[in-house]
Amino acid sequence: MKSSHITFRQPWPHSLWILCLAVLSISACTQWTDEQKKRQSLPDFQFENLDGGVLQRSDLPTGKPATILFFDPDCSHCKETIESIVQHIGAFVDNTLVIVSPSDRTRVIPYLLEKGLLGHAGVLVGTCTAQQFLDTFGTTLTPTTLFYGADFDLKRAYKGPVDEAGIIEGLRAAQE
């Protein structure tokens, strides 16, 4: 006669679940903190401008707030953010707007021309790889909108679409 051997697995102890959750939480917080540190003060950057030259931090006027927008012209959330900016472009008169895209300039130029942003005073446009933006600002999520004050310290950061109220709030925070 065969003997039957049944093994019952014990569920994880409650304390082990808590430990796992704590480790995951700390890991997530550390990643967020590292990402925040990377962009807390406007980092030096070098991206390609639309003429094939270099767009860098030193091109920004000192003593004036700056907004960095990382976008893709094919991204629906990016288009929402661009529309919000276009609706309030007059509010950017005292703020430099830097639009950066991982897309090829042959896709960026027609889109920004259509929206009236290309050639607009105070708007600088560049392209870079997603890796360049990640290395500089700690994210590749499109859209990402970063509002820096005149001291180039980060005042507001948005990942994902920004509505008109968010644009106004970001600009107001950058002015304080």
Side-chain angles (χ1 to χ4, degrees):
M1 184 168 185
K2 288 187 179 179
S3 105
S4 169
H5 183 67
I6 299 175
T7 307
F8 291 99
R9 293 181 61 180
Q10 293 285 342
W12 280 20
H14 185 67
S15 58
L16 189 55
W17 279 109
I18 292 172
L19 178 64
C20 288
L21 289 174
V23 168
L24 288 173
S25 295
I26 290 170
S27 174
C29 289
T30 302
Q31 180 182 7
W32 175 249
T33 302
D34 291 344
E35 183 179 320
Q36 281 182 316
K37 283 180 187 176
K38 193 171 262 194
R39 64 177 184 230
Q40 188 58 43
S41 184
L42 183 64
D44 287 329
F45 59 84
Q46 286 196 344
F47 303 134
E48 187 174 330
N49 69 23
L50 296 181
D51 296 328
V54 176
L55 171 62
Q56 55 196 358
R57 179 183 165 167
S58 63
D59 293 333
L60 303 182
T62 56
K64 188 174 183 179
T67 300
I68 309 292
L69 170 63
F70 187 57
F71 94 110
D72 183 327
D74 295 325
C75 160
S76 62
H77 293 300
C78 298
K79 290 177 180 180
E80 289 176 42
T81 301
I82 289 286
E83 288 299 325
S84 297
I85 288 172
V86 168
Q87 293 299 316
H88 295 284
I89 194 64
F92 281 87
V93 69
D94 295 323
N95 188 300
T96 303
L97 175 60
V98 180
I99 302 173
V100 183
S101 179
S103 298
D104 186 81
R105 62 182 152 197
T106 60
R107 290 178 35 223
V108 172
I109 292 171
Y111 180 77
L112 294 179
L113 271 173
E114 174 190 325
K115 297 301 174 189
L117 293 173
L118 201 59
H120 195 282
V123 177
L124 304 174
V125 182
T127 61
C128 68
T129 66
Q131 186 64 50
Q132 284 175 298
F133 200 82
L134 176 66
D135 292 345
T136 306
F137 291 99
T139 185
T140 58
L141 183 68
T142 57
T144 292
T145 312
L146 308 168
F147 291 91
Y148 290 90
D151 57 0
F152 288 160
D153 281 342
L154 184 65
K155 304 302 181 188
R156 286 277 188 280
Y158 297 95
K159 288 184 177 183
V162 182
D163 62 11
E164 294 178 36
I167 295 295
I168 296 300
E169 178 185 319
L171 290 170
R172 187 174 298 125
Q175 291 293 331
E176 294 176 353

